[in-house]
Amino acid sequence: QGQLVESGGGLVQPGGSLRLSCAASGSISSIEVMGWYRQAPGKQRESVASIIISGGNINYVDSVKGRFTISRDNAKNTVYLQMNSLKPDDTAVYYCYAHTLIAGTWKNVYWGQGTQVTVSS
């Protein structure tokens, strides 16, 4: 049973920082990409950041460029999202995901349970 365990959310003032982590269990094989989506009430789900596990290629949504940094620790099967200069508009539930690629075909998607990030004074 594959699992993603994420943590690191919380309440922070504007301009503050948080670091999210997402650990994939070893039973999940062939992970190609991991990252985070976020969901705020009344808004569509938005891809925030992603990283290719093998090669390290990274993508960010424009609104977080220069403020967020995604990284990976392959030895721990873990990815991190360092969030700096947080804004109220960053408030959302952040969901980690892992997507597998087998024989050139996208296969399974695994999701964390979400962690709440609230940016407020």
Side-chain angles (χ1 to χ4, degrees):
Q1 183 73 23
Q3 297 182 40
L4 300 181
V5 179
E6 62 177 304
S7 62
L11 174 64
V12 66
Q13 294 186 345
S17 297
L18 289 170
R19 189 180 75 156
L20 308 184
S21 64
C22 178
S25 66
S27 64
I28 303 176
S29 62
S30 303
I31 296 174
E32 177 70 9
V33 60
M34 295 181 67
W36 275 269
Y37 281 74
R38 64 187 179 187
Q39 178 73 63
K43 298 182 179 179
Q44 64 272 21
R45 188 185 69 171
E46 178 182 51
S47 178
V48 179
S50 64
I51 184 167
I52 303 298
I53 296 302
S54 59
N57 309 74
I58 290 169
N59 280 287
Y60 300 102
V61 66
D62 285 346
S63 61
V64 310
K65 288 180 179 177
R67 300 188 297 119
F68 291 11
T69 303
I70 190 169
S71 62
R72 75 201 197 280
D73 184 340
N74 288 351
K76 297 181 178 180
N77 298 316
T78 300
V79 295
Y80 305 93
L81 186 65
Q82 179 67 46
M83 305 186 295
N84 298 327
S85 302
L86 283 161
K87 304 175 179 179
D89 283 349
D90 296 317
T91 296
V93 179
Y94 286 69
Y95 295 94
C96 177
Y97 71 92
H99 205 168
T100 62
L101 182 71
I102 302 175
T105 300
W106 293 103
K107 293 296 183 181
N108 299 321
V109 180
Y110 300 84
W111 292 95
Q113 291 301 119
T115 186
Q116 176 71 50
V117 171
T118 302
V119 185
S120 176
S121 60

